[in-house]
Structure formats: structure tokens, C-alpha cells
């Protein structure tokens, strides 16, 4: 027989190998990359990566993990466990614990060797597990480039896909190359793998490399390598007709070169198998039942042959190239061979084989990876033993849930439901009643991010229960869960369900903690819907129940809701005091993070942008300590992005949006992020793209806005931003005026929109429109606000724009240049003042002011304002006087806000990597900013830049800079 394929040199893949090496070169510079190597079965995906791995073995750590063919019973985190274990083996346990800190407890759920004691679920979370995985990979990349190879993505479980999706977004720094192989003919449109690939590709997180079939020359070269002799033109043509350029089939045909070619590809794949002796055929059939490599002891147990006969059979199977030995385990040389042999079994043979597997695994492999419940569920299903399959699936569901593999747990839970009618004693077999199973499955689906299926399961459970006999706690929990599922989906109907759950709890349960939780949920929904007085009443009641139960976290939540409600009613001082109470009372991380999210949001609405950023940044630091920076911290990131945008830090905002960790989070959080994306696109002058995002999300905003007032206001904000960016100022203003006619309670969210309305009125007035009635409407809405919200800088600006008297505009301009005012109004007020100066004939002063406005608009990257300033200058016939533009620009910081931050950190002596960690950006991005800083300051070294930062009068030539 010819040698098996791996011993032949790879042919026809020079360009593809060069592409993988190119990405590796990028990675070595500290920029993570990911590549999907895709193609049909047998095209050479794994061979390409093995070749690459061999080439760079001395330059990087290469870790390989396999997705397993377990049908619907896929093992949670299939390939990731092997990859992580390989990383730990390279780094050492102690180094890993030091690198991931508290995250070691979470990693211990997948790698028990990292945990000094069994992992306590109370001390960890799904977020901490995901963050710990990313932190481990980044730590490993500091010692050497890391090449992570995930084989056979087409068999990946949903939990693996979720982690991979997270890692593609989370790994923003470090020498990490993720390589994934996928058999394209096994990916079905709309399935989880297809969605993962589509989303990652659209987000430009994953490059794709499709392997084509080999051409005539490559086929000849490969065949002659395998046969060791020249191939005739006729033989080559026959080989091409049958193999069609697929390397694996060429190898198999070359192996039949001394005999007639099989008629079909199936026969071709079985040609080597058919030539085996009886014992070798039996052993190969036994191995075909395995979803993973088999150890020798397992083969001994399953094959049931005398030792010498078994050894001879294994030697024959490996010598012919059907089986190979990898790390002391037996596996098929190619998955196609295993599938062909397994499919060739008769139904009865297949069922007996898998029963033998299941019985052997249960008897000899308990508590090992080979004997996990996912594998048992798979084998008992194929053995057609519904009861034992149900038992294994129920255990696999609980095991996956315990490891936060919620998507996999959901799959097993649904398998239990599917098998339930076929098993007479299903409740005993599953060790749970059906209603409890539905309750658990709904929660698992919600945590897996599948809100629609979670809601469907909750509806099924509520339809099946008998209110007169059901356990009241179960009933109340189902109602509460359904309410939360509706909230997560942004749908109506949560409040009546929570009221019903509360009524059951008060009538039948002596549980003040549960009662306080339900009351807080109700209070929160009332606040969000705009019924602030009722929210306060419910929060007060929740606090009384929490006091009785001594639950400080529920006390914190009650203070949180009360604080927000008071602030929206206009008692800002009392609201802030309540938020301080919420912070002091928060013991658990959930209550603490909830305080930081909600309080930073309130500060943003009040225009206290810098405080909002500080609270959110502190929340991110705390999230980092808890090892949930990239998960729970991502929600905090959104609360940073909005005030940063108002402060004009557009580049930082864009960097944070690029690291979007919200893909797998609840829809309502993705809606918030989408609103910001629309505003950023509008800011940058990309109205078509902004309109496209708005169109995609508008139905969801309309639906959710019916129950959540803040989402209703976000829809208004998006619509205004898109209209402004497209030049439809009248349409933007009409949207704001329509908001004022809404009969629902007004929240703090309207303040920023009223301010925007004033700016639109000023610009429309300058175009000659009659906007007096519009101005009166906006002013009336402004003065209708509570007294605590009057008389601030925003009021001064609004007055200047609605009634542009010289003294009012001057006061507005001073306010716009102050703290905690949207920076865009620095341009808006300068433009308004310039109009007045032109009207009064002072064209020189107007020219100077316009130059300032242009410089600010340019530094902000605000396309619409840049256009507005340029148009007015052109219409008024103004051109910058000699020296005026440059002089005004000299008064404006030449550095962007982000570059100024980088300069400050350079002055602190931080390296690029440290700056990246401080600002949550990649090392490559830091390098770009550093280069820009040096160029704009006219210096060549970081030391000179630091001196300028510390002493602005110091120049690169070490002479005092010219100061006007």
C-alpha cells in the first residue's frame, strides 16, 4: 500500500499558506486576528493548518481543539477545554492563577486542576467565566504568540460559538491568532454555525479563506508522490473525473491504483476498509462508533478480541492508513472515512454498537471526558433506549447549566422534553417534575439569549399547570419569569404578570425576600413606564419587606428605583441622596453594578457628563476586579459612550463601539447601543448608514417604547439625528415638536432634545423660516420642568437660541464654553454670534469667530456643523483674514480629546501597552495616536512630548514657545 496522505508533501496550497503566514505576521505585532478556513469535505483544511503549525512551532504556542460529531448531543465548550488545558500546561498552574486572579475560580469549572477546591457558583458567574478565558489567552500571548486552532466548526455546540463570538470582540490586544476550520457542505442556512459565521463576517471580526479544488498539475504532483511513479494522461483524466480535484479523494484513488476504481465515492471511501481482514474490519467498525479519539483500554473493552488478535488488527488498520495514532489514542485518518464505515453498518448493528459504547462508558469511564453525559445521551439515543437517553440528557442539561453553557443546556433540556412522551416514568427518570423542568428550561433559554423560546416555554408551562393544585411558589416564579422574558424582549405585558405573582406570594408564601424582589421589579417597571409616583410607593413597600428579611441588596434596589423616580419628578437632590444610599447598601455585585449603571445614566440626563463618565469608569474598574469587564462591563460601556459623545470624544466613542460585546446580550441592551451607533454615524456625516440602522431597529423601538419611556425617547433622538445629518432640519424639529404633544409623562430625557430643538430653530430662523411659534412651544416645555431643573447653563443656552439678543447670546456662549454642556453648542453659539456680527456690520469679528467655530467643528469631527459653518461663511462672503484663522486655531488645542488623553499618559511614563489597558484600546491604536501626537507637537520623542505636556511653553527646540 502507498503511504498514508500525511506523509506526502502538501501541494497546490502555496497561496493559501502564504495568507495564513501573513496574518501570523500581523499577530506578532500585537494585533489579534481570526481566520476561517472553509471548504468541502476532504479539501485539505486541517492539512493546511497542520503544515502552518509545523512551520511556526518554534515561534509560537499552537493549541488545537476539536468539535465532536455528537449529533444533537454536542459537548459544551467542545474544543475550548482542550485548548485552555494546553495553554495551562504551557504556562503552569501558578502562573495562570496569578494572571487571571479571581477568574481562576470560574476557569476551575472547565479545568478542575486550576481550583484549589470545588468551584462555588456563588463566587463566580457566566460573565466571569468568559472574561477569565479571554484574560488567560491574553496572558499567554505575553510570553509567546498564541495560535488557537478550532477544528470542525460545523459540529460546534452553541456554547462554543457564544464564547468564540465573545472572544472575537473581546481580544483587542495581544499576539493571538484564531484559526477555525469548517466543512461548508455541512453548514445549513440559518443554523447556529451559519449565524455565527455571518455575524462575524459582517462585523469584520473574521477573515475567510476558501480552499478550492486542485488543478491538473497539482493533482498529478500529489498522485505521483503517493504512488511513487509517473501517472499517465489517461490515468490522470480518470482520477480527475472521479476525484474532481479534492485532495482526500485523490489520495484514496491513488491507493487503488493497482486495481479497478470503485463506482461511487462511497465505494471509494470503503475500498481500503473492504480489503481488511475480519478482525481489522471489526475493530474499525468499533472505532467508527466513537465521536472522539479512543484510548487503547477502551478499544480493548469494546472490541472484545484476544490481545494478540487485537494488536494485529490495529496494526493492519493503521498500516493501511484508515486509523492513525495521535497522542496514544486511535482515530480515523479523516472524518469522511469514519462516516462511511459507520453509515455502512446495518441498523441493528449500529444500535448494538452504541449500546455497547454506552454501557462501557457508564461502567468504566464515569467522571471522565469520554464518559460525560453528553456522550451518553448520544450513544443511548442511537441505541434506541429512550429512557436511558432521557436520563443522560437530563444530567447533561444540569451539568451544562452548572458550567454556564446555557445554549448547550437548552439543547439537552429540549431533548428531555422530546423524549418525555416516550418514557412512562419520565419524571422519575429525569429526577424532576415536568413543570419544574419547564421552569428551569425557560431560565436556561433566557440565559442563553433566546428570549423568544424562553417565553414559549413559559407559556407552555402556564398553559399546562392547574392553578388549584400547583405549588404557589412555582406558579409565582413562572409568572415572574414570563414577565422578565417580556421585558428582555422589549414587549408589553410584564406589569400584570408581576402583579399576579405578587398577589400569589402575599396570599400563600411567607417569604419577604421574594416579595421584596417582586415589588422592586414592579417598581422598576412603573418607573420605566413613567408612573413615578407609583414606582416610589412600590419601592417603599419593597424596602419594608427587605428590612424584615434583612436583605441589603433588595434595600439597595429599592433605593435605586426611588432615586431615579424622584429625579425624574424634579427632586434631583433627593434622588441623588437615594442613589448614594443604594451604593452604600449594595453588597452583591449585581446590586452594585445596577447602582453604577442607573446613576451614571441619571448624571448623563442631567448633563453632568464628566461625573457620569467617572461613575461608569469606576464601574468598569470594579467590573475588571470582578473579571466581568468584557461582559457586564459592556453595559457600563454604553453608559460611558453617551456622555463621552456629548463631550466630543468621538474617536474614543468609535473605538468603544468597535469593541461591541453586546452581540449575545439581551435585545433591550442592543437597542441602546444601536441608538448610539445612529448618533455617531449622523455625527460623522453618514446619513445613509444612519438611516439604515434606524430602519432596522425602528420596529423594535416602536414596540418597546410602548412600555419603556426611555426607549421611546431614544427613538426620537435617533430620528432627529438622522434627519439632521441628511439636512432635513425642518423634519428634525417637527419630530421634537411631536414629542411635546405626547400625553405620557415627560422624563429627563426630553431636556437634551429641547436643547437640540433650540439649535434647530436658530438655524431655520437664519434660513428665513418663521419659527416663532416653534420657539414658544419649546420654551413652554422648558419652563414646565420642575424648579430644580431651571436656571442652569442649559437654560442660558436655550434662551440665547430661542431669543437671540446680544446679551443673551454672549451669556449663552460663555455657558457653552463651560463644563458639562454638549460641546456641539460651542460651535452652534459661535455661529449664532457670527450671524449677529455680520448683521451689525462687524465682519472682521465675525470672521475671527467663524474661524474658531470651524476649528472646533473640525476637532470634533462633526460633519454637519463643519458644513453649517462653511456654508454661512460662503453665503456671507467671509474669508479668514490674514492670520485670523491660524491665530484662532492656535487658541484651539491642535490635539483631539483622545490624543490629549494619550499625551497625558505619555507624560506619566506609561508604555503603549499600558496606555491601551488604561483607555481600553488596542496597542496598534495607541501607536497611531502617539504618532499623531508627536507629529502635531513637532517633536520626535516621547520625552519631548512629555515636557510639552508638563510645560506648554516648552518647544521641541527647547525654546519658549510663542504665546499670543
Amino acid at each position: 500500500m502507498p503511504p498514508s496522505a500525511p506523509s506526502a508533501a502538501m501541494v497546490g496550497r502555496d497561496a493559501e499558506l502564504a495568507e495564513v503566514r501573513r496574518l501570523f505576521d500581523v499577530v506578532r505585532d500585537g494585533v489579534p486576528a481570526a481566520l476561517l478556513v472553509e471548504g468541502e469535505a476532504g479539501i485539505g483544511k486541517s492539512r493546511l493548518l497542520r503544515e502552518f503549525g509545523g512551520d511556526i512551532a518554534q515561534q509560537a504556542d499552537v493549541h488545537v481543539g476539536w468539535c465532536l460529531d455528537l449529533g444533537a448531543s454536542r459537548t459544551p465548550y467542545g474544543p475550548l477545554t482542550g485548548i485552555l488545558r494546553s495553554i495551562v500546561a504551557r504556562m503552569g498552574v501558578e502562573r495562570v492563577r496569578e494572571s487571571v486572579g479571581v477568574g481562576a475560580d470560574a476557569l476551575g469549572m472547565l479545568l478542575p486542576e486550576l481550583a484549589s477546591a470545588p468551584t462555588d457558583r456563588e463566587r463566580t458567574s457566566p460573565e466571569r467565566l468568559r472574561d477569565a478565558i479571554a484574560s488567560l489567552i491574553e496572558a499567554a500571548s505575553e510570553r509567546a504568540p498564541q495560535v488557537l486552532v478550532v477544528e470542525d466548526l460545523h459540529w460546534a455546540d452553541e456554547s462554543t460559538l457564544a464564547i468564540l463570538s465573545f472572544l472575537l470582540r473581546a481580544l483587542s490586544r495581544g499576539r493571538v491568532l484564531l484559526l477555525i476550520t469548517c466543512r461548508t457542505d455541512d453548514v445549513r442556512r440559518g443554523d447556529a454555525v451559519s449565524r455565527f459565521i455571518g455575524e462575524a463576517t459582517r462585523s469584520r471580526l473574521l477573515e475567510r479563506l476558501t480552499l478550492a479544488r486542485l488543478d491538473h498539475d497539482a493533482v498529478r504532483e500529489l498522485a505521483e508522490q503517493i504512488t511513487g511513479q509517473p501517472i499517465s494522461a489517461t490515468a490522470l483524466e480518470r482520477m480527475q473525473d472521479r476525484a474532481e480535484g479534492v485532495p482526500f479523494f485523490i489520495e484514496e484513488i491513488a491507493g487503488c491504483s493497482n486495481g479497478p476504481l470503485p463506482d461511487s465515492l462511497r465505494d471509494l471511501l470503503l475500498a481500503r476498509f473492504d480489503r481488511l481482514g475480519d478482525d481489522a474490519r471489526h475493530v474499525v467498525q468499533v472505532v467508527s462508533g466513537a465521536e472522539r479519539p479512543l484510548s487503547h483500554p477502551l478499544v480493548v473493552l469494546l472490541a472484545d478480541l484476544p490481545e494478540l488478535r487485537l494488536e494485529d488488527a490495529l496494526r493492519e488498520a493503521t498500516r493501511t492508513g484508515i486509523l492513525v495514532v495521535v497522542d496514544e489514542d486511535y482515530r480515523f485518518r479523516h472524518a469522511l472515512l469514519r462516516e462511511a464505515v459507520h453509515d455502512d453498518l446495518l441498523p441493528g448493528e449500529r444500535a448494538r454498537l452504541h449500546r455497547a459504547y454506552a454501557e462501557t462508558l457508564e461502567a468504566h469511564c464515569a467522571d471522565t471526558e469520554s464518559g460525560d453525559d453528553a456522550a451518553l445521551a448520544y450513544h443511548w439515543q442511537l441505541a434506541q433506549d429512550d429512557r436511558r437517553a432521557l436520563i443522560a440528557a437530563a444530567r447533561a442539561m444540569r451539568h451544562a447549566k452548572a458550567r454556564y453553557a446555557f445554549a448547550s443546556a437548552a439543547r439537552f433540556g429540549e431533548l428531555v422534553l422530546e423524549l418525555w412522551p416516550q418514557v412512562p416514568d419520565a419524571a422519575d427518570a429525569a429526577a424532576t417534575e415536568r413543570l419544574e423542568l419547564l421552569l428551569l428550561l425557560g431560565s436556561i433559554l433566557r440565559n442563553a439569549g433566546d428570549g423568544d423560546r424562553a417565553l414559549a416555554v413559559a407559556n407552555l408551562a402556564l398553559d399546562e399547570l392547574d392553578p388549584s393544585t400547583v405549588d404557589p411558589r412555582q406558579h409565582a416564579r413562572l409568572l415572574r419569569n414570563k414577565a422578565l422574558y417580556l421585558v428582555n424582549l422589549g414587549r408589553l405585558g410584564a406589569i400584570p404578570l408581576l402583579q399576579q405573582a405578587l398577589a400569589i406570594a402575599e396570599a400563600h408564601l411567607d417569604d419577604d425576600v421574594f416579595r421584596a424582589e417582586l415589588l422592586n421589579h414592579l417598581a422598576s417597571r412603573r418607573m420605566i413606564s413613567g408612573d413615578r409616583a407609583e414606582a416610589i410607593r412600590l419601592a417603599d413597600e419593597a424596602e419594608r419587606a427587605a428590612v424584615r428579611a434583612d436583605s441589603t441588596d433588595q434595600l439597595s434596589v429599592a433605593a435605586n428605583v426611588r432615586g431615579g423616580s424622584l429625579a425624574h419628578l424634579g427632586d434631583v437632590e433627593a434622588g441623588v441622596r437615594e442613589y448614594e444610599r443604594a451604593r452604600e447598601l449594595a453588597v452583591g455585585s449585581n446590586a452594585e453594578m445596577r447602582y453604577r449603571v442607573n446613576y451614571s445614566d441619571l448624571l448623563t440626563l442631567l448633563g453632568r457628563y464628566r461625573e457620569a463618565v467617572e461613575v461608569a469608569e469606576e464601574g468598569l474598574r470594579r467590573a475588571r476586579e470582578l473579571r466581568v469587564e468584557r461582559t457586564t462591563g459592556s453595559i457600563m460601556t454604553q453608559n460611558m459612550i453617551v456622555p463621552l459623545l456629548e463631550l466630543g470624544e468621538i474617536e474614543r466613542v468609535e473605538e468603544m463601539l468597535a469593541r461591541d460585546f453586546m452581540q449575545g446580550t439581551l435585545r433591550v441592551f442592543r437597542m441602546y447601543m444601536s441608538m448610539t451607533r445612529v448618533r455617531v454615524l449622523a455625527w460623522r456625516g453618514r446619513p445613509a448608514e444612519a438611516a439604515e440602522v434606524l430602519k432596522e431597529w425602528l420596529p423594535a423601538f416602536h414596540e418597546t417604547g410602548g412600555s419603556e419611556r426611555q426607549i421611546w425617547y431614544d427613538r426620537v433622538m435617533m430620528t432627529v439625528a438622522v434627519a439632521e445629518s441628511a439636512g432635513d432640519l425642518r423634519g428634525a424639529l417637527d419630530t421634537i415638536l411631536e414629542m411635546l404633544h405626547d400625553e405620557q409623562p415627560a422624563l429627563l430625557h426630553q431636556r437634551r432634545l429641547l436643547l437640540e430643538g433650540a439649535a434647530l430653530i436658530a438655524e431655520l430662523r437664519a434660513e428665513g423660516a418663521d419659527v416663532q411659534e416653534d420657539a414658544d412651544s419649546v420654551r413652554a416645555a422648558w419652563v414646565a420642568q420642575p424648579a430644580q431643573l431651571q436656571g442652569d447653563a442649559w437654560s442660558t443656552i436655550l434662551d440665547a437660541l430661542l431669543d437671540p439678543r446680544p446679551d443673551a447670546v454672549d451669556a449663552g456662549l460663555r455657558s457653552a464654553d463651560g463644563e458639562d454642556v454638549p460641546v456641539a453648542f460651542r460651535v452652534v453659539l459661535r455661529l449664532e454670534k457670527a450671524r449677529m456680527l455680520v448683521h451689525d456690520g462687524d465682519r472682521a469679528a465675525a470672521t475671527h469667530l467663524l474661524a474658531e467655530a470651524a476649528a472646533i467643528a473640525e476637532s470634533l469631527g462633526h460633519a454637519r456643523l463643519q458644513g453649517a459653518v462653511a456654508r454661512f461663511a460662503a453665503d456671507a462672503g467671509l474669508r479668514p483674514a490674514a492670520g485670523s484663522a491660524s491665530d484662532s486655531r492656535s487658541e484651539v488645542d491642535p490635539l483631539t480629546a483622545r490624543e490629549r488623553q494619550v499625551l497625558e499618559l505619555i507624560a506619566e511614563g506609561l508604555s503603549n501597552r499600558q496606555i491601551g489597558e488604561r483607555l481600553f484600546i488596542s496597542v496598534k491604536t495607541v501607536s497611531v495616536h502617539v504618532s499623531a501626537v508627536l507629529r502635531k507637537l513637532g517633536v520626535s520623542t516621547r520625552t519631548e512630548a512629555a515636557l510639552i505636556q508638563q510645560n506648554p511653553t516648552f518647544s521641541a527646540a527647547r525654546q519658549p514657545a510663542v504665546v499670543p
Side-chain angles (χ1 to χ4, degrees):
M1 290 291 295
S4 61
S7 65
M10 187 175 67
V11 301
R13 298 295 184 217
D14 291 346
E16 292 86 349
L17 188 57
E19 177 63 15
V20 184
R21 286 172 175 158
R22 179 191 66 79
L23 278 182
F24 180 65
D25 289 338
V26 170
V27 163
R28 287 197 295 183
D29 289 335
V31 181
L35 177 69
L36 176 70
V37 181
E38 56 188 339
E40 60 191 298
I43 202 68
K45 302 177 292 295
S46 297
R47 179 63 195 279
L48 174 69
L49 296 191
R50 283 200 303 273
E51 193 81 12
F52 167 72
D55 286 351
I56 53 96
Q58 302 304 314
Q59 306 170 54
D61 294 341
V62 181
H63 313 282
V64 185
W66 286 268
C67 303
L68 302 176
D69 182 12
L70 277 170
S73 305
R74 297 172 183 178
T75 304
Y77 307 124
L80 296 172
T81 303
I83 289 173
L84 296 176
R85 183 162 285 126
S86 176
I87 293 174
V88 171
R90 293 288 185 100
M91 292 181 64
V93 170
E94 290 308 314
R95 172 79 181 277
V96 169
R97 287 175 179 160
E98 178 184 336
S99 299
V100 302
V102 296
D105 288 333
L107 282 176
M109 305 184 78
L110 302 184
L111 309 175
E113 60 268 29
L114 284 179
S116 54
T119 300
D120 181 2
R121 281 177 58 86
E122 296 299 320
R123 297 177 56 194
T124 187
S125 66
E127 293 83 2
R128 186 173 290 176
L129 174 60
R130 292 195 290 271
D131 202 278
I133 291 172
S135 297
L136 173 60
I137 294 170
E138 284 183 347
S141 73
E142 292 178 1
R143 62 180 296 275
Q146 301 294 299
V147 178
L148 315 181
V149 181
V150 175
E151 291 272 20
D152 299 326
L153 186 75
H154 45 278
W155 290 326
D157 65 287
E158 288 91 335
S159 299
T160 292
L161 296 173
I163 292 290
L164 290 177
S165 181
F166 169 73
L167 290 176
L168 289 175
R169 292 168 170 82
L171 294 174
S172 61
R173 58 183 182 268
R175 298 176 294 172
V176 182
L177 176 58
L178 176 62
L179 299 174
I180 304 171
T181 66
C182 183
R183 191 192 294 179
T184 50
D185 37 359
D186 273 5
V187 176
R188 296 183 301 277
R189 178 176 295 183
D191 70 3
V193 174
S194 175
R195 291 195 302 274
F196 164 80
I197 294 173
E199 290 168 0
T201 303
R202 283 192 298 274
S203 302
R204 299 182 180 178
L205 301 170
L206 185 67
E207 295 190 37
R208 298 172 73 168
L209 178 63
T210 301
L211 299 192
R213 297 178 177 185
L214 299 180
D215 60 22
H216 258 65
D217 292 340
V219 170
R220 178 188 294 278
E221 183 180 351
L222 179 58
E224 290 181 349
Q225 277 192 47
I226 294 172
T227 61
Q229 59 188 20
I231 298 291
S232 68
T234 302
L236 179 63
E237 194 64 35
R238 291 175 62 217
M239 189 175 292
Q240 273 290 61
D241 287 345
R242 191 65 52 85
E244 297 182 334
V246 177
F248 179 69
F249 296 145
I250 295 168
E251 295 161 7
E252 292 303 298
I253 291 173
C256 302
S257 58
N258 295 327
L261 288 182
D263 293 330
S264 66
L265 286 178
R266 175 182 174 279
D267 292 337
L268 173 63
L269 290 171
L270 293 174
R272 294 181 191 237
F273 172 76
D274 290 339
R275 289 195 291 271
L276 296 174
D278 290 343
D279 285 349
R281 285 166 56 88
H282 171 67
V283 168
V284 169
Q285 287 176 327
V286 165
V287 177
S288 78
E291 77 290 350
R292 66 189 83 200
L294 277 182
S295 66
H296 185 75
L298 265 179
V299 175
V300 171
L301 290 169
L302 290 163
D304 193 25
L305 287 173
E307 184 176 352
L308 292 179
R309 286 173 58 189
L310 176 61
E311 289 179 357
D312 288 342
L314 285 168
R315 185 172 289 107
E316 183 180 356
T318 55
R319 188 177 65 248
T320 57
I322 295 178
L323 298 184
V324 294
V325 179
V326 179
D327 296 331
E328 302 300 317
D329 290 334
Y330 297 101
R331 62 183 301 165
F332 276 81
R333 181 168 63 83
H334 198 284
L336 286 174
L337 279 173
R338 185 184 80 83
E339 293 163 13
V341 173
H342 190 262
D343 291 346
D344 195 49
L345 294 169
L346 295 172
E349 290 177 311
R350 193 176 302 122
R352 285 194 300 274
L353 174 61
H354 286 284
R355 177 174 291 277
Y357 261 91
E359 290 173 344
T360 301
L361 295 179
E362 284 188 336
H364 300 281
C365 300
D367 301 322
T368 70
E369 287 189 7
S370 296
D372 64 34
D373 292 311
L376 287 170
Y378 167 71
H379 289 299
W380 282 124
Q381 267 191 291
L382 293 180
Q384 301 176 15
D385 191 322
D386 291 336
R387 188 177 192 279
R388 286 181 166 177
L390 185 147
I391 292 171
R395 287 201 304 255
M397 174 189 67
R398 297 186 184 96
H399 182 65
K401 175 180 177 293
R403 301 167 78 193
Y404 303 126
F406 294 114
S408 298
R411 182 184 288 268
F412 290 120
E414 291 176 332
L415 177 58
V416 173
L417 283 181
E418 180 185 327
L419 294 170
W420 195 280
Q422 279 73 53
V423 180
D425 62 339
D428 290 337
T432 187
E433 294 298 324
R434 180 176 171 85
L435 197 59
E436 189 64 32
L437 171 66
L438 292 171
L439 185 64
L440 176 61
L441 180 56
S443 175
I444 289 171
L445 285 164
R446 182 264 183 192
N447 282 299
D450 196 337
D452 285 308
R453 285 163 70 199
L455 181 60
V457 168
N459 285 331
L460 176 64
L462 288 168
D463 288 343
E464 289 186 3
L465 66 79
D466 181 351
S468 63
T469 60
V470 69
D471 175 17
R473 182 177 294 278
Q474 272 191 334
H475 194 184
R477 287 169 63 202
L478 277 168
L479 291 166
R480 176 205 60 189
N481 287 4
K482 180 179 178 180
L484 296 181
Y485 302 157
L486 288 170
V487 169
N488 294 339
L489 290 168
R491 295 178 185 169
L492 301 174
I495 288 177
L497 290 166
L498 289 169
Q499 289 173 327
Q500 190 178 350
L502 181 62
I504 293 172
E506 289 179 334
H508 302 286
L509 302 177
D510 183 16
D511 187 341
D512 278 320
V513 173
F514 187 46
R515 187 166 174 269
E517 179 195 339
L518 290 173
L519 285 163
N520 274 327
H521 281 311
L522 260 176
S524 179
R525 300 318 305 164
R526 288 296 193 187
M527 179 186 72
I528 287 173
S529 67
D531 192 350
R532 296 150 296 184
E534 177 64 6
I536 293 172
R537 186 191 71 77
L538 289 165
D540 290 342
E541 194 174 343
E543 179 161 326
R544 290 191 288 272
V547 168
R548 291 194 298 271
D550 195 24
S551 174
T552 55
D553 274 359
Q554 290 302 325
L555 280 171
S556 174
V557 174
N560 193 319
V561 174
R562 191 185 300 108
S565 299
L566 286 168
H568 280 288
L569 283 170
D571 195 348
V572 176
E573 293 177 1
V576 169
R577 287 196 299 271
E578 283 299 312
Y579 272 115
E580 181 60 23
R581 284 189 66 229
R583 183 188 65 79
E584 294 171 351
L585 288 166
V587 174
S589 59
N590 286 339
E592 179 185 353
M593 298 304 283
R594 181 168 181 166
Y595 149 75
R596 296 193 182 283
V597 168
N598 291 347
Y599 187 45
S600 60
D601 184 52
L602 173 65
L603 291 170
T604 297
L605 295 174
L606 293 172
R608 293 160 61 174
Y609 298 131
R610 299 189 187 282
E611 284 184 74
V613 172
E614 288 174 5
V615 171
E617 283 184 329
E618 179 58 34
L620 273 177
R621 282 192 287 273
R622 180 65 177 139
R624 196 179 305 121
E625 292 173 6
L626 296 170
R627 291 291 176 180
V628 294
E629 173 192 352
R630 302 172 177 88
T631 46
T632 301
S634 66
I635 302 169
M636 195 70 70
T637 299
Q638 164 64 14
N639 278 39
M640 282 181 64
I641 284 177
V642 174
L644 285 172
L645 182 63
E646 298 288 14
L647 290 170
E649 298 196 30
I650 184 67
E651 292 178 359
R652 188 177 179 189
V653 167
E654 288 171 330
E655 289 162 3
M656 296 172 79
L657 283 175
R659 297 178 65 200
D660 178 10
F661 306 139
M662 290 200 166
Q663 189 63 42
T665 59
L666 302 176
R667 186 178 76 154
V668 69
F669 292 133
R670 298 201 302 276
M671 290 169 69
Y672 297 145
M673 191 67 82
S674 299
M675 184 271 293
T676 309
R677 288 188 188 282
V678 168
R679 291 189 65 191
V680 168
L681 289 169
W683 183 296
R684 286 299 200 184
R686 294 154 66 181
E689 294 172 65
E692 196 63 34
V693 178
L694 173 61
K695 180 181 178 181
E696 177 187 355
W697 281 96
L698 200 54
F701 274 81
H702 274 298
E703 180 183 26
T704 306
S707 60
E708 297 198 16
R709 288 291 285 169
Q710 60 197 51
I711 290 289
W712 185 85
Y713 280 109
D714 286 346
R715 177 188 61 79
V716 176
M717 180 67 79
M718 286 195 303
T719 305
V720 169
V722 170
E724 282 184 324
S725 184
D728 182 10
L729 303 187
R730 182 71 249 180
L733 180 59
D734 286 344
T735 300
I736 293 173
L737 295 172
E738 183 183 349
M739 170 192 75
L740 300 181
H741 298 143
D742 184 75
E743 297 179 356
Q744 296 297 314
L747 300 185
L748 290 171
H749 298 71
Q750 79 162 354
R751 284 171 55 81
R752 179 64 181 84
L753 284 159
L754 290 173
L755 202 60
E756 193 68 21
L760 290 165
I761 286 171
E763 197 158 348
L764 287 167
R765 182 195 301 116
E767 293 177 358
D770 181 3
V771 290
Q772 188 56 51
E773 185 177 343
D774 303 327
D776 292 342
S777 297
V778 170
R779 186 182 298 280
W782 190 268
V783 299
Q785 297 178 108
Q788 282 191 27
L789 301 176
Q790 304 286 344
D792 60 356
W794 286 26
S795 299
T796 304
I797 291 172
L798 182 129
D799 184 56
L801 294 172
L802 295 182
D803 186 10
R805 306 177 313 278
D807 58 336
V809 172
D810 288 341
L813 187 52
R814 289 192 296 272
S815 293
D817 285 345
E819 297 290 324
D820 287 333
V821 171
V823 292
F825 285 87
R826 296 177 183 176
V827 180
V828 170
L829 266 296
R830 279 172 170 77
L831 189 55
E832 187 66 15
K833 178 68 174 177
R835 293 183 185 119
M836 297 180 69
L837 291 170
V838 169
H839 182 269
D840 293 340
D842 192 348
R843 298 175 65 81
T847 297
H848 182 83
L849 204 58
L850 278 178
E852 286 185 3
I856 296 171
E858 182 181 353
S859 70
L860 296 176
H862 198 300
R864 190 183 71 81
L865 290 179
Q866 287 177 274
V869 173
R871 281 192 303 274
F872 176 69
D875 292 345
L878 298 177
R879 293 292 181 269
S884 64
S886 59
D887 288 347
S888 64
R889 286 174 185 270
S890 71
E891 296 171 8
V892 179
D893 194 337
L895 303 182
T896 66
R898 175 57 107 203
E899 289 164 355
R900 175 58 58 185
Q901 286 181 317
V902 170
L903 177 57
E904 291 171 355
L905 296 177
I906 288 173
E908 290 182 26
L910 272 61
S911 68
N912 283 8
R913 184 174 297 280
Q914 290 169 324
I915 293 172
E917 291 172 352
R918 183 78 66 87
L919 298 180
F920 311 106
I921 59 179
S922 70
V923 175
K924 183 177 180 181
T925 302
V926 173
S927 178
V928 172
H929 287 315
V930 170
S931 297
V933 167
L934 299 182
R935 184 183 69 254
K936 290 182 179 182
L937 295 182
V939 299
S940 57
T941 69
R942 297 164 74 97
T943 301
E944 291 171 339
L947 287 171
I948 290 177
Q949 161 65 18
Q950 294 161 2
N951 179 11
T953 64
F954 183 86
S955 73
R958 291 168 176 77
Q959 298 293 326
V962 177
V963 180

